[in-house]
Amino acid sequence: MNFIARRLAFYAVAVWAAVSINFMIPRLMPGNAIDSVLGKFQNLTPAVVKSLEAEFGFHHQGSIFSQYIQYWNDVIHFNLGVSTSQYPTHVSTIIGQTLPWTLALVGVATVLSFTIGTLLGIVAGWRRGGWLDRVMPGLTLLQAMPYFFLALLMIYLFAIKLKWLPYGQGYQLGLTEGFNLPFISSAITHSILPAVTIIATSIGGWMLQMRNVMLTTISEDYILVAQAKGVSTRRVMFTYGARNAILPNIAGFALSLGFVVAGALVMEIVFSYPGIGLTLYNAVTSNDYPLTQGIFLVISLAVLTASLLADVAYAFADPRARSRSAF
Amino acid sequence: MSTATLTPSPTRAATLGGRPLALLRSVLATWRRLPLKAKIGIAILGFFILVAIFGPALAPYNPNATSTQAVPEAPNIHHLFGTDSSGGDILSQMLTGTRSTVIVGLVTGIIATTLSVLVGIAAGYLGGYADEGLSLFSNVVLVLPALPLLIVILAYEPHAGSLATIIALSAVGWPWGARVIRAQTMSLRNRDFVLAAREVGEPAWRIIVFELMPNQIGLIAASFVGTVLYAILTSVALAFLGLTDLSIWSLGVMLYWAQSGSAVELGAWWWYLFPGMAVAFLGMSLVLINFGLDELSNPRLRSSRSLRKLGRRNWRPADPTPVILDYAELNR
C-alpha cells in the first residue's frame, strides 16, 4: 500500500505543522498572553506567578528549543494546561466534555449531507436538464450564504415563529445526562435544526461536483457500449457511471472537511450548542488562551484524522491510486 | 470549484496586450460569449462594487446616530430597513459597511491569488524537489482547518482592523488555487508551444509570463473569484464572532451587533435579515460567475437537452474526444 504510506507520511507532516503552529502563535503574537491572564489575579508573589505560568502551560523559561520539546511532551501526554476562564479545570477535561457533542452532530450531519448530495448529484447528472438539474443552482447558492445567517433564519422561523423545534443548548435543562429516554429524545430534537443547517449549506457542493463529473463520465464510450449491450439503466447509472464518477467526491471530502467544520463551529455559537465551537468562542471572548489553543489543536487533529480516513477510502475506491508508485 | 481548464489558443492571448480599441472589442466579444449565469453574477457584483464606492455618500443617516428609544424599529417610511435597538438606521449602516466587506474580499482575493499563481506555477514548472516541497507545503496549509486557525490568531489581537483580517485571510487562503494552477501548469509544461519556446532559448520567467500564464487566465480568474467568496464569507464570520474592529461598519459587524443585541429573540428580523441577505447576494454573484466560467471552459456542463430518448431510456451521442479526468493526478 504505497499510496497509504505516502498519505501517512503527509499527515505526519501535517500534524507536526499543526502542533508547531500552535506552539509558535502565542510566542509570535504581540502582547503577552500571560500578562493578560495574570491581570485577573491580583497581588501575586513571583513564586505564585511562576507556578501559575507552569500550570497554565506557558513554558517561557529556557531556550526556545527546550520549550518546544517540553511542548511536544505536553501534547503527547494531552496536558494542555489549565483553563483560565474555568479555573482550575484542565483544558483536556473541558474538551472531553464538549467534543462528543460536536462529533455526534457534525459527524452525522456531514455524512448525511455527503451521501444525499452525492446521490442527488448522480441523478442530476444522469438526467441532465431534468428538474433536479435545474433546481440545483438554487441549492448551490445556499453555499454562498454564511452558515450562521441561515442558522439565524431557521431559529426565527422554526423555533420562534412556528415553535416546532427547540433551540439553544443541547438538551432541555433539568434533565440528567445519560442513557435515559427523555434526555436522548431531547438531545435529538435539539440537534435537528443545527443538523439541517449544516446539511442545507453543504449539500449543494457535493451535488454539484458529483453532477459535473457524472456528466463527463457518462459521455464516455463504455457507457454507450453498456447501454447498447442492454445492461439495465440502474446498473449503467450506478455501477458504470457513478462508480467512476464518485472518485473526485471522495478525494474532495478530505479537502472540504475543514470548511464544513469551520461552518459548523460558527453555527454552534448561534444555536448555543454545547459543542467545541461554542467553547472556542467563549474561550476567545474571555481571553482564555490555553483553552483556545487546546481546542485548535484538537480540531486540527480531528480534521486530519477524518481526512486520512477519506484518503484510505479513496485508495480502496481507486485502483490507480494504489498502483501509483511515484510521489 | 471544478477542475475544468480554460485554454484559449496561445496566439489570441498574446494579442490581448495590443491597441486599446482591440482590447475593448475583445472584452465585448468575451462578454457576449459569457453564459447567462456569469452575466447575472457580474451584474450583481458590479452593483455591490458601486455601493462600496458611493454607498457611504448616499447613506441617509449617520450610521452611528442613536436616538433615545430602546427598541428596534420595524421598517417604515423614515427607516426603509428599520433601525437597531439604539435607533441606528440599518440601511445607512449597510450602505456604509458594504465598502469594508467588499474591500476585504477583493484585496484578499488579489493577494491570495497572486500567492497561488506564484506557488502553483513555480511548483508545476520547476518540478522535482521544488515541486514536492511546495506541494507539500500547500497541502498542509490546505488540510489545516482555516477558520479555527484564524480565530486562534485573531484571538490575540481581537479588535485589529481590516488589515489584520486581510493578512490572516490571505495567509491561509492561497493553497486551493495553487493546487489547481499547479496541475494545469504541469499539463501545459510539455505542450509543443512551451517546448518550442524552451528550445529557442527563452528564459524561464518569459516562458512563465508569456506562454504559461495567458493560457490559464480562465483558471486564475476562477481561482480569484473563489478566493474572494472565501474571504467575504470568512471575514463576515470572523466579524460576527467579534474578532475585528467593531467600530468600523461592515456587513459582518452589523450581524455581530444584531446577535449581541438578541435581534432574533426580540423578533427584530430586519436587523439581521437585510445585512445577511446582502452577504448572501454578494456570495451568490461570485458563485454564479464561477458557474459561468466553468461552463465557458467545459461545454459539457451546460444544461442542454442533447439526450435522445429511445425506448424510454436516455441515450447520449458518443463523444469523439472523451476527456478523462484523472483526479488522482491532480490530487498527488
Side-chain angles (χ1 to χ4, degrees), chain A residues 234-260:
Chain A
R234 174 188 301 244
R235 199 172 149 77
V236 176
M237 187 164 143
F238 286 101
T239 319
Y240 286 62
R243 174 65 182 80
N244 286 307
I246 202 169
L247 298 173
N249 242 25
I250 299 179
F253 188 80
L255 292 175
S256 20
L257 215 60
F259 296 99
V260 175

PDB file of all heavy atoms in Angstrom, chain A residues 234-260:
ATOM      1  N   ARG A 234     -30.280   1.091 -14.264  1.00  0.00           N
ATOM      2  CA  ARG A 234     -29.782   1.265 -12.908  1.00  0.00           C
ATOM      3  C   ARG A 234     -28.311   0.841 -12.818  1.00  0.00           C
ATOM      4  O   ARG A 234     -27.497   1.494 -12.213  1.00  0.00           O
ATOM      5  CB  ARG A 234     -30.632   0.418 -11.956  1.00  0.00           C
ATOM      6  CG  ARG A 234     -30.114   0.418 -10.539  1.00  0.00           C
ATOM      7  CD  ARG A 234     -30.908  -0.587  -9.746  1.00  0.00           C
ATOM      8  NE  ARG A 234     -32.331  -0.247  -9.780  1.00  0.00           N
ATOM      9  CZ  ARG A 234     -33.026   0.097  -8.689  1.00  0.00           C
ATOM     10  NH1 ARG A 234     -32.439   0.135  -7.535  1.00  0.00           N
ATOM     11  NH2 ARG A 234     -34.296   0.386  -8.774  1.00  0.00           N
ATOM     12  N   ARG A 235     -27.999  -0.279 -13.494  1.00  0.00           N
ATOM     13  CA  ARG A 235     -26.643  -0.788 -13.432  1.00  0.00           C
ATOM     14  C   ARG A 235     -25.674   0.154 -14.151  1.00  0.00           C
ATOM     15  O   ARG A 235     -24.580   0.444 -13.647  1.00  0.00           O
ATOM     16  CB  ARG A 235     -26.606  -2.177 -14.069  1.00  0.00           C
ATOM     17  CG  ARG A 235     -25.404  -2.986 -13.667  1.00  0.00           C
ATOM     18  CD  ARG A 235     -25.538  -4.424 -14.168  1.00  0.00           C
ATOM     19  NE  ARG A 235     -24.206  -4.960 -14.455  1.00  0.00           N
ATOM     20  CZ  ARG A 235     -23.360  -5.374 -13.516  1.00  0.00           C
ATOM     21  NH1 ARG A 235     -23.706  -5.329 -12.257  1.00  0.00           N
ATOM     22  NH2 ARG A 235     -22.180  -5.829 -13.848  1.00  0.00           N
ATOM     23  N   VAL A 236     -26.093   0.678 -15.300  1.00  0.00           N
ATOM     24  CA  VAL A 236     -25.219   1.610 -16.030  1.00  0.00           C
ATOM     25  C   VAL A 236     -25.003   2.859 -15.184  1.00  0.00           C
ATOM     26  O   VAL A 236     -23.880   3.356 -15.034  1.00  0.00           O
ATOM     27  CB  VAL A 236     -25.844   1.999 -17.390  1.00  0.00           C
ATOM     28  CG1 VAL A 236     -24.971   3.029 -18.089  1.00  0.00           C
ATOM     29  CG2 VAL A 236     -26.003   0.786 -18.266  1.00  0.00           C
ATOM     30  N   MET A 237     -26.085   3.326 -14.576  1.00  0.00           N
ATOM     31  CA  MET A 237     -26.022   4.577 -13.828  1.00  0.00           C
ATOM     32  C   MET A 237     -25.103   4.460 -12.616  1.00  0.00           C
ATOM     33  O   MET A 237     -24.241   5.300 -12.399  1.00  0.00           O
ATOM     34  CB  MET A 237     -27.440   4.918 -13.379  1.00  0.00           C
ATOM     35  CG  MET A 237     -27.619   6.246 -12.744  1.00  0.00           C
ATOM     36  SD  MET A 237     -29.392   6.568 -12.755  1.00  0.00           S
ATOM     37  CE  MET A 237     -29.603   7.389 -11.221  1.00  0.00           C
ATOM     38  N   PHE A 238     -25.272   3.376 -11.852  1.00  0.00           N
ATOM     39  CA  PHE A 238     -24.509   3.284 -10.607  1.00  0.00           C
ATOM     40  C   PHE A 238     -23.182   2.545 -10.790  1.00  0.00           C
ATOM     41  O   PHE A 238     -22.136   3.046 -10.413  1.00  0.00           O
ATOM     42  CB  PHE A 238     -25.351   2.596  -9.513  1.00  0.00           C
ATOM     43  CG  PHE A 238     -26.429   3.493  -8.992  1.00  0.00           C
ATOM     44  CD1 PHE A 238     -27.743   3.350  -9.408  1.00  0.00           C
ATOM     45  CD2 PHE A 238     -26.115   4.521  -8.112  1.00  0.00           C
ATOM     46  CE1 PHE A 238     -28.733   4.198  -8.950  1.00  0.00           C
ATOM     47  CE2 PHE A 238     -27.106   5.361  -7.643  1.00  0.00           C
ATOM     48  CZ  PHE A 238     -28.409   5.201  -8.060  1.00  0.00           C
ATOM     49  N   THR A 239     -23.220   1.363 -11.391  1.00  0.00           N
ATOM     50  CA  THR A 239     -22.006   0.545 -11.445  1.00  0.00           C
ATOM     51  C   THR A 239     -21.036   1.050 -12.502  1.00  0.00           C
ATOM     52  O   THR A 239     -19.824   0.975 -12.334  1.00  0.00           O
ATOM     53  CB  THR A 239     -22.370  -0.924 -11.728  1.00  0.00           C
ATOM     54  OG1 THR A 239     -23.530  -1.238 -10.975  1.00  0.00           O
ATOM     55  CG2 THR A 239     -21.245  -1.830 -11.338  1.00  0.00           C
ATOM     56  N   TYR A 240     -21.551   1.552 -13.622  1.00  0.00           N
ATOM     57  CA  TYR A 240     -20.664   2.014 -14.684  1.00  0.00           C
ATOM     58  C   TYR A 240     -20.350   3.505 -14.536  1.00  0.00           C
ATOM     59  O   TYR A 240     -19.207   3.916 -14.653  1.00  0.00           O
ATOM     60  CB  TYR A 240     -21.291   1.764 -16.060  1.00  0.00           C
ATOM     61  CG  TYR A 240     -21.284   0.319 -16.483  1.00  0.00           C
ATOM     62  CD1 TYR A 240     -21.967  -0.637 -15.754  1.00  0.00           C
ATOM     63  CD2 TYR A 240     -20.589  -0.093 -17.618  1.00  0.00           C
ATOM     64  CE1 TYR A 240     -21.959  -1.973 -16.121  1.00  0.00           C
ATOM     65  CE2 TYR A 240     -20.577  -1.426 -18.004  1.00  0.00           C
ATOM     66  CZ  TYR A 240     -21.272  -2.365 -17.255  1.00  0.00           C
ATOM     67  OH  TYR A 240     -21.260  -3.673 -17.630  1.00  0.00           O
ATOM     68  N   GLY A 241     -21.387   4.296 -14.298  1.00  0.00           N
ATOM     69  CA  GLY A 241     -21.186   5.752 -14.256  1.00  0.00           C
ATOM     70  C   GLY A 241     -20.720   6.237 -12.897  1.00  0.00           C
ATOM     71  O   GLY A 241     -19.592   6.676 -12.720  1.00  0.00           O
ATOM     72  N   ALA A 242     -21.599   6.092 -11.895  1.00  0.00           N
ATOM     73  CA  ALA A 242     -21.316   6.679 -10.583  1.00  0.00           C
ATOM     74  C   ALA A 242     -20.080   6.064  -9.942  1.00  0.00           C
ATOM     75  O   ALA A 242     -19.306   6.755  -9.286  1.00  0.00           O
ATOM     76  CB  ALA A 242     -22.527   6.482  -9.667  1.00  0.00           C
ATOM     77  N   ARG A 243     -19.860   4.764 -10.185  1.00  0.00           N
ATOM     78  CA  ARG A 243     -18.704   4.099  -9.584  1.00  0.00           C
ATOM     79  C   ARG A 243     -17.404   4.821  -9.964  1.00  0.00           C
ATOM     80  O   ARG A 243     -16.483   4.926  -9.159  1.00  0.00           O
ATOM     81  CB  ARG A 243     -18.673   2.652 -10.059  1.00  0.00           C
ATOM     82  CG  ARG A 243     -17.463   1.858  -9.646  1.00  0.00           C
ATOM     83  CD  ARG A 243     -17.437   1.693  -8.137  1.00  0.00           C
ATOM     84  NE  ARG A 243     -16.240   0.960  -7.726  1.00  0.00           N
ATOM     85  CZ  ARG A 243     -15.051   1.504  -7.613  1.00  0.00           C
ATOM     86  NH1 ARG A 243     -14.886   2.778  -7.880  1.00  0.00           N
ATOM     87  NH2 ARG A 243     -14.018   0.785  -7.237  1.00  0.00           N
ATOM     88  N   ASN A 244     -17.335   5.301 -11.192  1.00  0.00           N
ATOM     89  CA  ASN A 244     -16.131   6.006 -11.620  1.00  0.00           C
ATOM     90  C   ASN A 244     -16.184   7.481 -11.292  1.00  0.00           C
ATOM     91  O   ASN A 244     -15.157   8.114 -11.035  1.00  0.00           O
ATOM     92  CB  ASN A 244     -15.939   5.831 -13.126  1.00  0.00           C
ATOM     93  CG  ASN A 244     -15.454   4.445 -13.454  1.00  0.00           C
ATOM     94  OD1 ASN A 244     -14.461   3.988 -12.903  1.00  0.00           O
ATOM     95  ND2 ASN A 244     -16.178   3.755 -14.312  1.00  0.00           N
ATOM     96  N   ALA A 245     -17.398   8.036 -11.318  1.00  0.00           N
ATOM     97  CA  ALA A 245     -17.512   9.481 -11.135  1.00  0.00           C
ATOM     98  C   ALA A 245     -17.368   9.894  -9.681  1.00  0.00           C
ATOM     99  O   ALA A 245     -17.134  11.064  -9.382  1.00  0.00           O
ATOM    100  CB  ALA A 245     -18.860   9.960 -11.683  1.00  0.00           C
ATOM    101  N   ILE A 246     -17.476   8.931  -8.767  1.00  0.00           N
ATOM    102  CA  ILE A 246     -17.505   9.303  -7.352  1.00  0.00           C
ATOM    103  C   ILE A 246     -16.107   9.623  -6.813  1.00  0.00           C
ATOM    104  O   ILE A 246     -15.970  10.251  -5.761  1.00  0.00           O
ATOM    105  CB  ILE A 246     -18.157   8.181  -6.512  1.00  0.00           C
ATOM    106  CG1 ILE A 246     -18.687   8.750  -5.200  1.00  0.00           C
ATOM    107  CG2 ILE A 246     -17.184   7.037  -6.253  1.00  0.00           C
ATOM    108  CD1 ILE A 246     -19.550   7.802  -4.432  1.00  0.00           C
ATOM    109  N   LEU A 247     -15.070   9.234  -7.550  1.00  0.00           N
ATOM    110  CA  LEU A 247     -13.709   9.388  -7.022  1.00  0.00           C
ATOM    111  C   LEU A 247     -13.369  10.817  -6.612  1.00  0.00           C
ATOM    112  O   LEU A 247     -12.889  11.044  -5.501  1.00  0.00           O
ATOM    113  CB  LEU A 247     -12.697   8.853  -8.037  1.00  0.00           C
ATOM    114  CG  LEU A 247     -12.863   7.359  -8.327  1.00  0.00           C
ATOM    115  CD1 LEU A 247     -11.947   6.932  -9.451  1.00  0.00           C
ATOM    116  CD2 LEU A 247     -12.581   6.557  -7.078  1.00  0.00           C
ATOM    117  N   PRO A 248     -13.628  11.821  -7.484  1.00  0.00           N
ATOM    118  CA  PRO A 248     -13.298  13.188  -7.056  1.00  0.00           C
ATOM    119  C   PRO A 248     -14.073  13.596  -5.809  1.00  0.00           C
ATOM    120  O   PRO A 248     -13.559  14.355  -4.979  1.00  0.00           O
ATOM    121  CB  PRO A 248     -13.718  14.048  -8.242  1.00  0.00           C
ATOM    122  CG  PRO A 248     -13.714  13.133  -9.385  1.00  0.00           C
ATOM    123  CD  PRO A 248     -14.100  11.790  -8.856  1.00  0.00           C
ATOM    124  N   ASN A 249     -15.300  13.083  -5.667  1.00  0.00           N
ATOM    125  CA  ASN A 249     -16.081  13.452  -4.486  1.00  0.00           C
ATOM    126  C   ASN A 249     -15.440  12.907  -3.215  1.00  0.00           C
ATOM    127  O   ASN A 249     -15.412  13.572  -2.186  1.00  0.00           O
ATOM    128  CB  ASN A 249     -17.509  12.931  -4.621  1.00  0.00           C
ATOM    129  CG  ASN A 249     -18.517  14.057  -4.635  1.00  0.00           C
ATOM    130  OD1 ASN A 249     -18.168  15.172  -4.993  1.00  0.00           O
ATOM    131  ND2 ASN A 249     -19.731  13.783  -4.231  1.00  0.00           N
ATOM    132  N   ILE A 250     -14.921  11.672  -3.293  1.00  0.00           N
ATOM    133  CA  ILE A 250     -14.273  11.105  -2.104  1.00  0.00           C
ATOM    134  C   ILE A 250     -12.997  11.882  -1.801  1.00  0.00           C
ATOM    135  O   ILE A 250     -12.726  12.239  -0.654  1.00  0.00           O
ATOM    136  CB  ILE A 250     -13.968   9.613  -2.312  1.00  0.00           C
ATOM    137  CG1 ILE A 250     -15.265   8.845  -2.546  1.00  0.00           C
ATOM    138  CG2 ILE A 250     -13.250   9.040  -1.098  1.00  0.00           C
ATOM    139  CD1 ILE A 250     -15.058   7.376  -2.793  1.00  0.00           C
ATOM    140  N   ALA A 251     -12.227  12.164  -2.852  1.00  0.00           N
ATOM    141  CA  ALA A 251     -10.998  12.916  -2.635  1.00  0.00           C
ATOM    142  C   ALA A 251     -11.323  14.309  -2.110  1.00  0.00           C
ATOM    143  O   ALA A 251     -10.633  14.830  -1.240  1.00  0.00           O
ATOM    144  CB  ALA A 251     -10.214  13.019  -3.936  1.00  0.00           C
ATOM    145  N   GLY A 252     -12.415  14.886  -2.639  1.00  0.00           N
ATOM    146  CA  GLY A 252     -12.811  16.223  -2.201  1.00  0.00           C
ATOM    147  C   GLY A 252     -13.292  16.237  -0.765  1.00  0.00           C
ATOM    148  O   GLY A 252     -13.179  17.247  -0.079  1.00  0.00           O
ATOM    149  N   PHE A 253     -13.789  15.098  -0.320  1.00  0.00           N
ATOM    150  CA  PHE A 253     -14.307  15.011   1.048  1.00  0.00           C
ATOM    151  C   PHE A 253     -13.214  15.375   2.042  1.00  0.00           C
ATOM    152  O   PHE A 253     -13.430  16.170   2.959  1.00  0.00           O
ATOM    153  CB  PHE A 253     -14.813  13.587   1.312  1.00  0.00           C
ATOM    154  CG  PHE A 253     -15.527  13.423   2.614  1.00  0.00           C
ATOM    155  CD1 PHE A 253     -16.840  13.817   2.734  1.00  0.00           C
ATOM    156  CD2 PHE A 253     -14.883  12.893   3.712  1.00  0.00           C
ATOM    157  CE1 PHE A 253     -17.512  13.682   3.937  1.00  0.00           C
ATOM    158  CE2 PHE A 253     -15.542  12.757   4.923  1.00  0.00           C
ATOM    159  CZ  PHE A 253     -16.860  13.159   5.028  1.00  0.00           C
ATOM    160  N   ALA A 254     -12.031  14.820   1.817  1.00  0.00           N
ATOM    161  CA  ALA A 254     -10.917  15.098   2.731  1.00  0.00           C
ATOM    162  C   ALA A 254     -10.600  16.590   2.750  1.00  0.00           C
ATOM    163  O   ALA A 254     -10.329  17.165   3.798  1.00  0.00           O
ATOM    164  CB  ALA A 254      -9.692  14.303   2.301  1.00  0.00           C
ATOM    165  N   LEU A 255     -10.659  17.199   1.560  1.00  0.00           N
ATOM    166  CA  LEU A 255     -10.231  18.594   1.471  1.00  0.00           C
ATOM    167  C   LEU A 255     -11.265  19.562   2.012  1.00  0.00           C
ATOM    168  O   LEU A 255     -10.923  20.589   2.582  1.00  0.00           O
ATOM    169  CB  LEU A 255      -9.933  18.943   0.016  1.00  0.00           C
ATOM    170  CG  LEU A 255      -8.718  18.225  -0.529  1.00  0.00           C
ATOM    171  CD1 LEU A 255      -8.546  18.527  -2.000  1.00  0.00           C
ATOM    172  CD2 LEU A 255      -7.485  18.653   0.246  1.00  0.00           C
ATOM    173  N   SER A 256     -12.556  19.244   1.815  1.00  0.00           N
ATOM    174  CA  SER A 256     -13.555  20.239   2.205  1.00  0.00           C
ATOM    175  C   SER A 256     -13.984  20.074   3.650  1.00  0.00           C
ATOM    176  O   SER A 256     -14.771  20.860   4.154  1.00  0.00           O
ATOM    177  CB  SER A 256     -14.770  20.176   1.279  1.00  0.00           C
ATOM    178  OG  SER A 256     -14.827  18.966   0.646  1.00  0.00           O
ATOM    179  N   LEU A 257     -13.455  19.068   4.305  1.00  0.00           N
ATOM    180  CA  LEU A 257     -13.823  18.836   5.691  1.00  0.00           C
ATOM    181  C   LEU A 257     -13.538  20.061   6.561  1.00  0.00           C
ATOM    182  O   LEU A 257     -14.325  20.422   7.429  1.00  0.00           O
ATOM    183  CB  LEU A 257     -13.033  17.645   6.215  1.00  0.00           C
ATOM    184  CG  LEU A 257     -13.796  16.788   7.186  1.00  0.00           C
ATOM    185  CD1 LEU A 257     -15.029  16.218   6.548  1.00  0.00           C
ATOM    186  CD2 LEU A 257     -12.910  15.686   7.688  1.00  0.00           C
ATOM    187  N   GLY A 258     -12.401  20.695   6.296  1.00  0.00           N
ATOM    188  CA  GLY A 258     -12.043  21.881   7.058  1.00  0.00           C
ATOM    189  C   GLY A 258     -13.114  22.957   6.953  1.00  0.00           C
ATOM    190  O   GLY A 258     -13.486  23.577   7.942  1.00  0.00           O
ATOM    191  N   PHE A 259     -13.656  23.141   5.735  1.00  0.00           N
ATOM    192  CA  PHE A 259     -14.687  24.155   5.529  1.00  0.00           C
ATOM    193  C   PHE A 259     -15.961  23.788   6.288  1.00  0.00           C
ATOM    194  O   PHE A 259     -16.605  24.620   6.908  1.00  0.00           O
ATOM    195  CB  PHE A 259     -15.010  24.308   4.043  1.00  0.00           C
ATOM    196  CG  PHE A 259     -13.868  24.808   3.228  1.00  0.00           C
ATOM    197  CD1 PHE A 259     -13.087  23.941   2.503  1.00  0.00           C
ATOM    198  CD2 PHE A 259     -13.564  26.162   3.203  1.00  0.00           C
ATOM    199  CE1 PHE A 259     -12.020  24.403   1.762  1.00  0.00           C
ATOM    200  CE2 PHE A 259     -12.510  26.624   2.470  1.00  0.00           C
ATOM    201  CZ  PHE A 259     -11.728  25.746   1.746  1.00  0.00           C
ATOM    202  N   VAL A 260     -16.317  22.496   6.208  1.00  0.00           N
ATOM    203  CA  VAL A 260     -17.538  22.044   6.879  1.00  0.00           C
ATOM    204  C   VAL A 260     -17.411  22.279   8.382  1.00  0.00           C
ATOM    205  O   VAL A 260     -18.313  22.815   9.024  1.00  0.00           O
ATOM    206  CB  VAL A 260     -17.797  20.553   6.570  1.00  0.00           C
ATOM    207  CG1 VAL A 260     -18.979  20.062   7.364  1.00  0.00           C
ATOM    208  CG2 VAL A 260     -18.036  20.347   5.097  1.00  0.00           C
TER     209      VAL A 260
END
